[in-house]
Amino acid sequence: MRRSYTLRFLFLTATCAVIIVGLHFYMYIYNKRSSQDNSGQIIVDKHQPSSFRLFEERFSKTDQVSSQEGQEAEWKHDPRGNLKHKIVHLDLKGMPLTVKAFESLFPLLAKTGATGVLMEYEDMFPYEGKLELISNKEAYSRDDITRILELAESSNLKVIPLIQTFGHLEFVLKLSEFEKLREVPKYMQVICPTNNDSVIVLKDMVDQVMALHPKIEYFHIGSDEVYHIGQCPLCTGLMNKIGIDESQLFLRHVSFIAEYVKNKYKVQPLMWDDEFRKLDEVSIQKSGIGNLVEIVVWNYNPDIENHLPRTMWEKYSRIFKSVWVGSAFKGANKPNSAVVNETLYLGNHYAWLRTMQDFEKLLTFKGIILTGWQRYDHFSGFCELLPSAIPSLAACMTLLTAPTIQPMSKILMETSLKLHCANFLNICKFPGSILHQEIIQLEFYKESFKKLKEKHVFLGWAEESNLRHRFSSPSHIELIFQEINSIKVDLDRSRVTLVQALQELYPQWSVDEWMSSRFEPFFNKVQHVHTGLTNILEMNTFPRRPLENQVQDL
Ligand SMILES: *[C@@H]1O[C@H](CO)[C@@H](O)[C@H](O)[C@H]1NC(C)=O
Ligand SMILES: *[C@@H]1O[C@H](CO)[C@@H](O)[C@H](O)[C@H]1NC(C)=O
Ligand SMILES: [Zn+2]
């Protein structure tokens, strides 16, 4: 027990030393490390708790994967040649950045090689008039939007706004005022395309977004994952009346919106491609949509070959002159991921290069949109935060922009250098890097707690019923109390760091939402055990069995 106290103390000292000294002398440390070829003596020493071993494992695994990826592929041609646009998706439907945060973010994105940003405003756009209610109460102001666009322009970033116009309209259809526009009364994803009021709302949304984006060249109309088509009485009525099926109804609505954008504003509409995958070629050809929209073919896996078949590419090649691809640098692992797996997302980008190489004779790949989902949809929790994904983004961009296509191990080393990381992609220096670091740290605490709960002492003497009855053997409880106590001390420190680092980038309501979903529930679990064990340690004598009447509320 004394030993674990000492370990904790050493660990805390080391952490402080890293944060205070490490950030100032990162280059020195980095050089020293790389010349010694014994990574992280300063940061990861033998005395640190198991969580750090986890960290080491994570990165040694990454190294193993990385040395393979990208090597075996013989790059016959460089498929990146035509990729004119490299657009970073900013998903603002969760953790929207403050306007001030864009001041440091945009130059960073430009430095990685991005040529533009896809702004998915969702409810953060300041809608007005009849649409006022669909905006978040803390949405950006009109001045905010103008300022954000100025900042983008001064970093030479093209802005592409995205608004959903068919599916994923939860933020509109969840409201009682817009309930009538749902395709399926119980579900709020899809708007009914046949209802005249839907059309009024969608046109109004396009008009309002266009009014604040006077200089744009592309406008993304979303239209992915349209789960329910042609189910309401208005739709079935129309389908019967004019003799069309669900596919044609889909194409009719999408064409209508695309035409509206293109004709009224002389702006090129983009849309996600997934609904086209299952549609038959004749219907698509007949609709003329191939001349209206440019599609963004998205897939976030490291084995695209297994998801997007050759027949799909052949079909697309006969319909669309050029296509964009949609990759992912975050937000495509698990809906509640906190730490970014760089290997996974970089793997997706290698897969895209292979795919482009395979099909570049069939069609032109005109641009890539690197998606960075912040939520899976309007109702889901948070996945990886943007600062956690800066190393991933920088790595993917390095792959896309380096003079030649390099193997993964090289890309990761280069990225680590670019971001001034002291320990692989850890302890780096970029806007938001403290948050990136602290979120990794929080995962370690979770892992430590999980391991503690698996110990025999915990399983036998610190069960929920032991805690509730204040009934256990103090000598056993003492064996685990110091560990739970040090996790609690770590979390108290972590909370302060997290809140401060979040406040640098996000508005307070977002900081609160993140803390209450990603930090507090874990803290409460630790606190619960801590209180229970403390209570037991205060006991000198214990009651006779049976125990039913001594249940404690913790
Ligand atoms: C929608 O508007 C069209 C004409 O703009 C009209 O013919 C049609 O009856 C309207 N449908 C409904 C359900 O109101
Ligand atoms: C990261 O992703 C790679 C590729 O999918 C996988 O092999 C690896 O196990 C993942 N690492 C972690 C820590 O989940
Ligand atoms: Zn309908």
Side-chain angles (χ1 to χ4, degrees), residues 23-254:
L23 285 181
H24 287 96
F25 296 99
Y26 58 90
M27 276 318 284
Y28 168 68
I29 293 167
Y30 184 84
N31 291 336
K32 193 158 172 243
R33 266 192 56 252
S34 35
S35 61
Q36 285 173 350
D37 191 35
N38 188 0
S39 57
Q41 277 307 308
I42 297 150
I43 295 118
V44 183
D45 73 43
K46 301 189 264 302
H47 301 294
Q48 276 165 345
S50 56
S51 53
F52 267 92
R53 255 172 272 131
L54 188 95
F55 169 78
E56 282 185 304
E57 275 164 28
R58 174 175 175 237
F59 284 106
S60 55
K61 262 195 214 124
T62 308
D63 272 341
Q64 283 161 20
V65 178
S66 53
S67 46
Q68 294 154 17
E69 180 76 77
Q71 298 255 1
E72 88 285 355
E74 281 264 302
W75 301 102
K76 283 160 268 159
H77 331 273
D78 192 336
R80 305 170 305 171
N82 290 321
L83 222 46
K84 208 173 114 199
H85 305 288
K86 298 174 195 76
I87 308 289
V88 177
H89 172 228
L90 296 176
D91 179 10
L92 302 168
K93 68 175 169 283
M95 301 304 285
L97 296 151
T98 57
V99 177
K100 188 160 178 0
F102 286 104
E103 288 173 12
S104 52
L105 178 70
F106 282 155
L108 179 65
L109 296 186
K111 223 161 130 188
T112 66
T115 63
V117 285
L118 177 69
M119 301 290 275
E120 180 154 8
Y121 291 113
E122 216 218 33
D123 66 351
M124 285 302 290
F125 188 83
Y127 290 104
E128 289 186 328
K130 291 207 175 91
L131 300 184
E132 198 184 332
L133 289 175
I134 69 176
S135 295
N136 187 318
K137 288 180 199 160
E138 303 285 342
Y140 295 119
S141 69
R142 302 174 80 74
D143 287 346
D144 288 345
I145 301 282
T146 305
R147 174 79 185 131
I148 292 169
L149 298 187
E150 277 169 15
L151 288 169
E153 194 173 1
S154 59
S155 286
N156 278 319
L157 295 170
K158 187 188 288 293
V159 171
I160 304 177
L162 181 154
I163 62 165
Q164 288 288 359
T165 53
F166 208 164
H168 282 307
L169 280 166
E170 294 95 342
F171 71 110
V172 177
L173 302 172
K174 70 177 178 182
L175 301 164
S176 61
E177 289 80 359
F178 295 90
E179 192 186 342
K180 285 201 194 73
L181 304 183
R182 294 176 189 171
E183 180 62 25
V184 177
K186 251 184 11 186
Y187 302 140
M188 39 215 84
Q189 284 113 328
V190 180
I191 198 163
C192 170
T194 310
N195 191 317
N196 287 348
D197 290 336
S198 299
V199 174
I200 293 170
V201 166
L202 294 172
K203 278 183 176 173
D204 198 3
M205 285 170 75
V206 171
D207 291 340
Q208 293 196 27
V209 172
M210 280 305 313
L212 282 188
H213 294 77
K215 295 187 206 161
I216 56 172
E217 199 181 326
Y218 297 100
F219 187 101
H220 199 307
I221 60 170
S223 307
D224 56 323
E225 301 179 336
V226 185
Y227 296 132
H228 321 288
I229 298 170
Q231 298 189 11
C232 85
L234 280 177
C235 285
T236 48
L238 178 76
M239 285 156 66
N240 286 334
K241 192 172 145 201
I242 62 174
I244 57 169
D245 60 13
E246 285 88 355
S247 305
Q248 289 158 325
L249 185 68
F250 170 81
L251 289 163
R252 196 171 177 264
H253 177 69
V254 172

Side-chain angles (χ1 to χ4, degrees), residues 459-477:
L459 295 173
W461 288 265
E463 269 195 310
E464 191 58 23
S465 61
N466 292 112
L467 306 186
R468 294 211 170 266
H469 289 107
R470 284 182 84 160
F471 192 82
S472 193
S473 174
S475 70
H476 284 75
I477 294 303

